Amino acid sequence: MTVPVPADLDLQRLLSMAEGVLDSVQDVFIDGLGAPSAVSKIGDDFATHVDLSLERRIGAELQELTGIEVHGEEFGGPPSEAGTVWILDPIDGTYNYSVGLPMAAMLLSLAIEGEPVIGVTRLPILNQSYAAVVGESFTVNGEPGTPLVDTALSSAVIGCGSYNARGGGRYSGAARAELYRMLSYRARRMRMTGSTGADLAYVAAGIFGGAVSFSRHAWDNAAGVALIRAAGGIATDVHGHPWRVGSRSMVAGDERLHEELLTVVAQSGVPDRRTNESKVEQ
Protein backbone atom coordinates (compact mmCIF):
# COMPACT_ATOMS: atom_id res chain seq x y z
CA MET A 1 0.00 0.00 0.00
CA THR A 2 1.10 3.55 -0.70
CA VAL A 3 0.00 6.43 1.48
CA PRO A 4 1.06 10.06 1.07
CA VAL A 5 3.44 10.98 3.88
CA PRO A 6 3.22 14.59 5.09
CA ALA A 7 6.36 16.50 4.10
CA ASP A 8 7.14 17.39 7.71
CA LEU A 9 7.37 13.73 8.80
CA ASP A 10 10.81 12.10 8.72
CA LEU A 11 9.82 8.46 9.10
CA GLN A 12 13.34 7.16 9.77
CA ARG A 13 13.80 9.75 12.51
CA LEU A 14 10.44 8.83 14.02
CA LEU A 15 11.41 5.14 13.92
CA SER A 16 14.66 5.92 15.72
CA MET A 17 12.75 7.83 18.41
CA ALA A 18 10.25 5.00 18.80
CA GLU A 19 12.99 2.42 19.18
CA GLY A 20 14.73 4.58 21.76
CA VAL A 21 11.56 4.78 23.84
CA LEU A 22 11.09 1.00 23.70
CA ASP A 23 14.77 0.49 24.58
CA SER A 24 14.22 2.50 27.75
CA VAL A 25 11.44 0.24 29.05
CA GLN A 26 12.72 -3.21 28.07
CA ASP A 27 14.01 -3.93 31.58
CA VAL A 28 10.61 -3.06 33.04
CA PHE A 29 8.98 -5.49 30.62
CA ILE A 30 11.44 -8.28 31.44
CA ASP A 31 11.31 -7.76 35.20
CA GLY A 32 7.51 -7.90 35.20
CA LEU A 33 7.22 -11.37 33.63
CA GLY A 34 4.65 -13.35 35.58
CA ALA A 35 2.65 -10.32 36.71
CA PRO A 36 -0.95 -11.28 37.65
CA SER A 37 -4.16 -9.76 36.38
CA ALA A 38 -4.78 -6.23 37.66
CA VAL A 39 -7.76 -5.16 35.54
CA SER A 40 -10.48 -7.43 34.11
CA LYS A 41 -11.72 -6.68 30.61
CA ILE A 42 -14.27 -8.26 28.27
CA GLY A 43 -14.70 -12.02 28.73
CA ASP A 44 -11.66 -13.56 30.35
CA ASP A 45 -9.29 -10.90 28.99
CA PHE A 46 -7.28 -8.83 31.44
CA ALA A 47 -4.39 -6.42 31.82
CA THR A 48 -1.52 -6.55 34.30
CA HIS A 49 -0.11 -3.58 36.18
CA VAL A 50 2.84 -3.75 33.76
CA ASP A 51 0.51 -3.24 30.77
CA LEU A 52 -0.88 -0.13 32.41
CA SER A 53 2.40 1.40 33.53
CA LEU A 54 4.16 0.69 30.23
CA GLU A 55 1.37 2.25 28.19
CA ARG A 56 1.39 5.39 30.32
CA ARG A 57 5.16 5.75 30.11
CA ILE A 58 5.61 4.86 26.44
CA GLY A 59 2.64 6.99 25.40
CA ALA A 60 3.81 10.03 27.34
CA GLU A 61 7.39 9.82 26.06
CA LEU A 62 6.35 9.27 22.45
CA GLN A 63 3.99 12.22 22.44
CA GLU A 64 6.55 14.47 24.09
CA LEU A 65 9.31 13.47 21.67
CA THR A 66 7.34 13.39 18.44
CA GLY A 67 4.30 15.59 19.02
CA ILE A 68 2.11 12.76 17.70
CA GLU A 69 -0.73 11.39 19.82
CA VAL A 70 -0.88 7.74 20.89
CA HIS A 71 -3.77 5.28 20.72
CA GLY A 72 -3.15 2.43 23.15
CA GLU A 73 -4.88 -0.82 24.00
CA GLU A 74 -5.44 0.01 27.65
CA PHE A 75 -6.31 3.73 27.67
CA GLY A 76 -7.44 4.39 24.10
CA GLY A 77 -6.64 7.77 22.59
CA PRO A 78 -7.43 9.63 19.37
CA PRO A 79 -9.16 7.73 16.54
CA SER A 80 -6.68 5.30 15.04
CA GLU A 81 -8.17 5.14 11.54
CA ALA A 82 -7.63 8.77 10.55
CA GLY A 83 -4.86 11.33 10.74
CA THR A 84 -1.36 10.48 11.98
CA VAL A 85 -1.27 8.43 15.18
CA TRP A 86 0.93 6.01 17.07
CA ILE A 87 -0.79 2.67 17.82
CA LEU A 88 0.55 0.86 20.88
CA ASP A 89 0.12 -2.52 22.53
CA PRO A 90 2.42 -2.51 25.58
CA ILE A 91 2.14 -6.29 26.06
CA ASP A 92 0.84 -8.47 23.25
CA GLY A 93 0.28 -11.98 24.56
CA THR A 94 -0.72 -10.85 28.05
CA TYR A 95 -1.87 -14.31 29.10
CA ASN A 96 1.50 -15.77 28.08
CA TYR A 97 3.24 -12.99 29.97
CA SER A 98 1.14 -13.46 33.08
CA VAL A 99 1.89 -17.17 33.38
CA GLY A 100 5.59 -16.69 32.68
CA LEU A 101 5.80 -17.69 29.01
CA PRO A 102 8.38 -15.59 27.15
CA MET A 103 6.29 -15.32 23.95
CA ALA A 104 5.06 -11.79 24.59
CA ALA A 105 5.77 -8.60 22.70
CA MET A 106 5.68 -4.81 22.67
CA LEU A 107 4.00 -3.59 19.48
CA LEU A 108 4.20 -0.06 18.15
CA SER A 109 3.22 1.37 14.79
CA LEU A 110 2.65 4.74 13.16
CA ALA A 111 -0.44 4.92 10.97
CA ILE A 112 -1.32 7.67 8.51
CA GLU A 113 -4.97 7.75 7.47
CA GLY A 114 -5.39 4.15 8.60
CA GLU A 115 -2.31 2.80 6.82
CA PRO A 116 0.65 1.59 8.94
CA VAL A 117 3.92 3.12 7.72
CA ILE A 118 6.20 2.29 10.67
CA GLY A 119 6.24 -0.95 12.63
CA VAL A 120 8.26 -2.07 15.64
CA THR A 121 7.87 -5.44 17.34
CA ARG A 122 9.97 -6.33 20.36
CA LEU A 123 10.07 -9.68 22.15
CA PRO A 124 12.29 -8.50 25.02
CA ILE A 125 12.53 -11.77 26.94
CA LEU A 126 13.70 -13.55 23.77
CA ASN A 127 15.97 -10.62 22.82
CA GLN A 128 14.30 -10.29 19.41
CA SER A 129 13.60 -7.03 17.61
CA TYR A 130 11.93 -6.23 14.29
CA ALA A 131 11.55 -2.73 12.83
CA ALA A 132 10.45 -1.25 9.52
CA VAL A 133 9.50 1.78 7.50
CA VAL A 134 7.30 0.61 4.65
CA GLY A 135 9.04 1.12 1.33
CA GLU A 136 12.33 2.07 2.98
CA SER A 137 13.77 -0.37 5.50
CA PHE A 138 13.27 -3.63 7.37
CA THR A 139 15.60 -4.87 10.11
CA VAL A 140 15.85 -7.96 12.27
CA ASN A 141 17.82 -7.49 15.49
CA GLY A 142 19.29 -4.32 14.01
CA GLU A 143 20.51 -5.96 10.79
CA PRO A 144 18.92 -5.66 7.34
CA GLY A 145 16.21 -8.27 6.92
CA THR A 146 16.01 -10.65 3.97
CA PRO A 147 13.19 -9.93 1.48
CA LEU A 148 10.50 -12.58 1.37
CA VAL A 149 10.49 -15.11 -1.45
CA ASP A 150 7.58 -17.19 -2.72
CA THR A 151 6.88 -20.25 -0.60
CA ALA A 152 4.45 -23.14 -1.07
CA LEU A 153 1.88 -23.67 1.68
CA SER A 154 2.88 -27.33 1.78
CA SER A 155 6.37 -26.38 2.97
CA ALA A 156 5.43 -23.54 5.34
CA VAL A 157 4.77 -23.01 9.03
CA ILE A 158 1.52 -21.08 9.57
CA GLY A 159 0.77 -19.00 12.64
CA CYS A 160 -2.79 -19.26 13.92
CA GLY A 161 -4.65 -16.92 16.24
CA SER A 162 -6.06 -18.18 19.52
CA TYR A 163 -9.73 -19.17 19.57
CA ASN A 164 -12.45 -20.96 21.51
CA ALA A 165 -14.28 -23.50 19.37
CA ARG A 166 -17.54 -22.66 21.19
CA GLY A 167 -17.16 -18.92 20.60
CA GLY A 168 -19.50 -16.79 18.52
CA GLY A 169 -19.02 -13.48 16.78
CA ARG A 170 -18.49 -12.50 13.16
CA TYR A 171 -16.19 -15.49 12.65
CA SER A 172 -17.37 -18.21 15.03
CA GLY A 173 -15.03 -20.49 16.90
CA ALA A 174 -16.43 -23.44 14.96
CA ALA A 175 -15.64 -21.73 11.64
CA ARG A 176 -12.11 -20.95 12.79
CA ALA A 177 -11.66 -24.56 13.93
CA GLU A 178 -12.76 -25.76 10.50
CA LEU A 179 -10.33 -23.40 8.78
CA TYR A 180 -7.44 -24.55 10.96
CA ARG A 181 -8.43 -28.19 10.36
CA MET A 182 -8.26 -27.62 6.61
CA LEU A 183 -4.97 -25.73 6.91
CA SER A 184 -3.50 -28.59 8.93
CA TYR A 185 -3.91 -30.82 5.87
CA ARG A 186 -2.22 -28.34 3.56
CA ALA A 187 0.51 -26.64 5.59
CA ARG A 188 3.76 -28.23 6.73
CA ARG A 189 3.14 -27.20 10.35
CA MET A 190 0.66 -25.08 12.35
CA ARG A 191 1.70 -22.99 15.35
CA MET A 192 -0.36 -21.07 17.92
CA THR A 193 1.96 -18.76 19.84
CA GLY A 194 -0.65 -16.71 21.69
CA SER A 195 0.87 -13.49 20.34
CA THR A 196 -0.45 -12.08 17.07
CA GLY A 197 2.41 -9.61 16.99
CA ALA A 198 4.99 -12.38 17.21
CA ASP A 199 3.23 -14.35 14.46
CA LEU A 200 3.32 -11.40 12.07
CA ALA A 201 6.93 -10.49 12.88
CA TYR A 202 7.90 -14.09 12.20
CA VAL A 203 6.13 -13.94 8.83
CA ALA A 204 8.10 -10.81 7.94
CA ALA A 205 11.35 -12.51 8.98
CA GLY A 206 10.59 -15.67 6.98
CA ILE A 207 10.35 -17.87 10.09
CA PHE A 208 6.64 -18.47 9.50
CA GLY A 209 5.47 -18.68 5.93
CA GLY A 210 2.18 -17.02 6.76
CA ALA A 211 -0.36 -16.27 9.45
CA VAL A 212 -4.11 -16.04 9.93
CA SER A 213 -5.69 -13.98 12.68
CA PHE A 214 -9.21 -12.86 13.54
CA SER A 215 -8.25 -10.01 15.82
CA ARG A 216 -10.04 -6.80 14.85
CA HIS A 217 -7.78 -4.63 17.01
CA ALA A 218 -5.33 -2.35 15.23
CA TRP A 219 -2.87 -2.60 18.14
CA ASP A 220 -2.54 -6.35 17.50
CA ASN A 221 -1.95 -6.07 13.76
CA ALA A 222 -0.64 -2.68 12.60
CA ALA A 223 3.02 -3.15 13.56
CA GLY A 224 3.13 -6.56 11.91
CA VAL A 225 1.48 -5.29 8.74
CA ALA A 226 4.20 -2.65 8.37
CA LEU A 227 6.90 -5.28 8.91
CA ILE A 228 5.41 -7.70 6.39
CA ARG A 229 4.91 -5.07 3.70
CA ALA A 230 8.41 -3.69 4.23
CA ALA A 231 9.75 -7.24 3.77
CA GLY A 232 7.86 -7.62 0.48
CA GLY A 233 4.89 -9.59 1.78
CA ILE A 234 1.12 -9.11 1.58
CA ALA A 235 -1.37 -8.50 4.38
CA THR A 236 -5.14 -8.46 3.75
CA ASP A 237 -8.37 -9.37 5.47
CA VAL A 238 -9.97 -12.76 4.78
CA HIS A 239 -11.72 -11.30 1.71
CA GLY A 240 -8.44 -10.21 0.14
CA HIS A 241 -8.95 -6.50 0.81
CA PRO A 242 -5.68 -4.78 1.78
CA TRP A 243 -5.43 -4.61 5.57
CA ARG A 244 -5.94 -1.21 7.14
CA VAL A 245 -6.96 0.07 10.55
CA GLY A 246 -10.54 -1.15 11.01
CA SER A 247 -10.06 -4.51 9.26
CA ARG A 248 -11.43 -7.39 11.31
CA SER A 249 -9.17 -10.22 10.25
CA MET A 250 -5.71 -10.86 8.85
CA VAL A 251 -4.19 -13.15 6.23
CA ALA A 252 -0.49 -12.60 5.61
CA GLY A 253 2.40 -14.13 3.73
CA ASP A 254 4.51 -13.82 0.61
CA GLU A 255 2.63 -13.42 -2.68
CA ARG A 256 2.29 -17.12 -3.51
CA LEU A 257 1.55 -18.34 -0.02
CA HIS A 258 -0.91 -15.52 0.64
CA GLU A 259 -2.89 -16.55 -2.43
CA GLU A 260 -2.91 -20.18 -1.27
CA LEU A 261 -4.04 -19.15 2.19
CA LEU A 262 -6.93 -17.10 0.78
CA THR A 263 -8.00 -20.12 -1.28
CA VAL A 264 -8.17 -22.34 1.81
CA VAL A 265 -9.95 -19.61 3.78
CA ALA A 266 -12.62 -19.35 1.07
CA GLN A 267 -13.00 -23.14 0.87
CA SER A 268 -13.47 -23.33 4.64
CA GLY A 269 -16.52 -21.06 4.50
CA VAL A 270 -15.05 -18.51 6.92
CA PRO A 271 -15.61 -15.35 4.83
CA ASP A 272 -19.13 -13.98 4.97
CA ARG A 273 -19.17 -12.04 1.73
CA ARG A 274 -22.39 -10.29 2.70
CA THR A 275 -20.23 -8.09 4.92
CA ASN A 276 -17.75 -5.47 3.77
CA GLU A 277 -14.95 -6.04 6.23
CA SER A 278 -12.74 -3.42 4.67
CA LYS A 279 -15.12 -0.71 5.89
CA VAL A 280 -13.55 1.17 8.77
CA GLU A 281 -15.28 0.66 12.11
CA GLN A 282 -16.68 3.81 13.61
Side-chain angles (χ1 to χ4, degrees):
M1 297 297 294
T2 301
V3 58
V5 177
D8 60 338
L9 289 185
D10 182 335
L11 296 185
Q12 291 294 342
R13 181 169 179 269
L14 289 171
L15 173 60
S16 179
M17 290 178 174
E19 292 211 89
V21 172
L22 296 186
D23 284 344
S24 73
V25 299
Q26 286 215 149
D27 288 346
V28 176
F29 187 106
I30 292 168
D31 292 344
L33 183 66
S37 170
V39 176
S40 295
K41 301 197 285 190
I42 296 174
D44 63 353
D45 197 10
F46 62 89
T48 72
H49 69 89
V50 186
D51 291 83
L52 304 179
S53 63
L54 282 176
E55 184 164 316
R56 288 192 187 98
R57 179 172 167 180
I58 294 169
E61 291 186 14
L62 273 175
Q63 186 160 349
E64 181 178 356
L65 283 171
T66 68
I68 298 171
E69 291 185 288
V70 180
H71 183 103
E73 176 178 3
E74 309 305 337
F75 299 111
S80 57
E81 70 274 6
T84 300
V85 60
W86 292 107
I87 300 174
L88 170 65
D89 188 345
I91 303 179
D92 178 60
T94 299
Y95 194 87
N96 288 356
Y97 186 82
S98 183
V99 300
L101 288 174
M103 188 62 69
M106 292 189 288
L107 309 179
L108 180 62
S109 64
L110 183 73
I112 300 176
E113 302 301 336
E115 299 290 348
V117 295
I118 291 175
V120 184
T121 296
R122 295 284 184 89
L123 286 87
I125 302 160
L126 299 177
N127 197 29
Q128 296 175 344
S129 175
Y130 307 85
V133 173
V134 177
E136 295 185 17
S137 64
F138 169 57
T139 62
V140 178
N141 298 326
E143 299 295 329
T146 302
L148 293 177
V149 296
D150 282 355
T151 307
L153 180 57
S154 60
S155 65
V157 178
I158 303 300
C160 300
S162 301
Y163 72 101
N164 180 333
R166 295 179 295 180
R170 175 179 296 262
Y171 302 109
S172 70
R176 300 182 200 190
E178 175 62 13
L179 168 60
Y180 295 151
R181 183 187 71 82
M182 293 180 66
L183 280 174
S184 74
Y185 298 153
R186 299 279 298 276
R188 185 68 177 269
R189 291 289 189 275
M190 307 287 289
R191 292 291 181 265
M192 187 179 294
T193 68
S195 167
T196 300
D199 289 350
L200 299 180
Y202 289 169
V203 172
I207 299 169
F208 286 1
V212 179
S213 168
F214 293 93
S215 172
R216 62 183 178 85
H217 300 302
W219 55 74
D220 285 334
N221 297 308
V225 168
L227 296 175
I228 289 166
R229 289 176 176 165
I234 298 175
T236 70
D237 63 21
V238 295
H239 306 291
H241 302 130
W243 190 94
R244 57 171 287 114
V245 175
S247 295
R248 301 180 183 183
S249 61
M250 165 76 71
V251 179
D254 63 65
E255 185 173 358
R256 173 182 175 180
L257 194 142
H258 176 265
E259 183 176 352
E260 290 192 53
L261 281 176
L262 282 183
T263 297
V264 179
V265 169
Q267 291 171 349
S268 76
V270 163
D272 179 355
R273 296 192 180 276
R274 293 171 298 177
T275 66
N276 181 6
E277 185 177 316
S278 63
K279 183 179 179 181
V280 174
E281 291 183 285
Q282 301 298 319

